[in-house]
Amino acid sequence: MPDAAPWWAAVVLPLALSAAAVVTAGFSAVLSGEAERGRAGSVREAGVRALSPLREALRLLVQQPRRTTAADRLLGRLGVVLVPVAAVLAGGVLPWGFRAVSDPPVGVVWFNAMEALAWAAVWLAGWGPNSALSLMGGYRFLAQGLAYELPHMFALTTAALGAESLRVGDVVAAQDGVWFVVWMPVAFAAYLLSALAMSFWGPFSHPLSRDAAGGASAELAGVDRLVFLGGRWLLLVVTAGFSVPLFLGGGHGPLLPGWAWTLLKTAAVVALLVAGRRALPVLRMERYMEVAWIVLVPLTLLQALFVAVVVLNR
């Protein structure tokens, strides 16, 4: 069980997650620049590419908001704000090393519940503007989220089953010897795929697809768009970070302190997911939903059954 974090950790957490999201966006921008214009010719050019998300953020700060006819502004704004709020609340149970802002007895359930809140948030953001294309993006995310929530939930449950506890600190403590990824590889792979889907990233970006003029964000502009898309990056960072205490041993590791191992492992997972955007094929939405229902759900159930048999025979 992690030690209790100091009170100021609750204040630092949103800032730390936001900084991590900015760094991740910069890394993605560098990779995108290499794919579009070739490798950077100098460190300065690479730095310019890495800072492009910040320049875009400054542009959105001064951009005028967009108004649509008969929009439900209250629900639309609520959905926009809830995306980053859900990500930060989910991050509250992340142990950095062996200290967490909060480590409730049902921390794994809390994390999953905050992801479910993000479902509602994205749908509301698509519903609020009273626009067909944004509503289409919201419904796409509901369909995608439902398909990938089941394998995602089974992956979370499998890790909790291996530790015989829903407390995140207990899951980390149970990996003192062998990390769960060693004997739960299917659950780990399913978790990473579903993490991409829950943050509508890479091949799972159909809720914001160009064929629907941006989908759920089609009618968002200015600060609204900045908050919504920033929340998307936060979701990616938090879901990637949660794989570390679940499957990669949390702060366990030789020589370095626990917080350093957590940071290194999280950076590695985030880099893998961002790079995976270009490695995974972009399929039609119904195709990769079939993968979730027909492939991932049975595999994660079999993985959970295997772990249950191991736990019962300890």
Side-chain angles (χ1 to χ4, degrees), residues 133-134 137 205-219 225 228-229:
L133 295 177
S134 66
S205 62
H206 283 275
L208 302 184
S209 182
R210 292 181 180 178
D211 69 329
S217 64
E219 303 297 341
R225 187 177 186 85
F228 182 79
L229 297 181

Side-chain angles (χ1 to χ4, degrees), residues 175-241:
Q175 300 176 74
D176 191 9
V178 179
W179 296 356
F180 282 172
V181 67
V182 175
W183 57 298
M184 304 179 191
V186 174
F188 178 62
Y191 177 87
L192 291 185
L193 278 176
S194 59
L196 287 173
M198 298 303 287
S199 56
F200 40 107
W201 176 256
F204 302 96
S205 62
H206 283 275
L208 302 184
S209 182
R210 292 181 180 178
D211 69 329
S217 64
E219 303 297 341
L220 297 179
V223 177
D224 291 341
R225 187 177 186 85
L226 176 61
V227 172
F228 182 79
L229 297 181
R232 180 195 189 195
W233 286 102
L234 284 172
L235 280 173
L236 179 66
V237 169
V238 171
T239 51

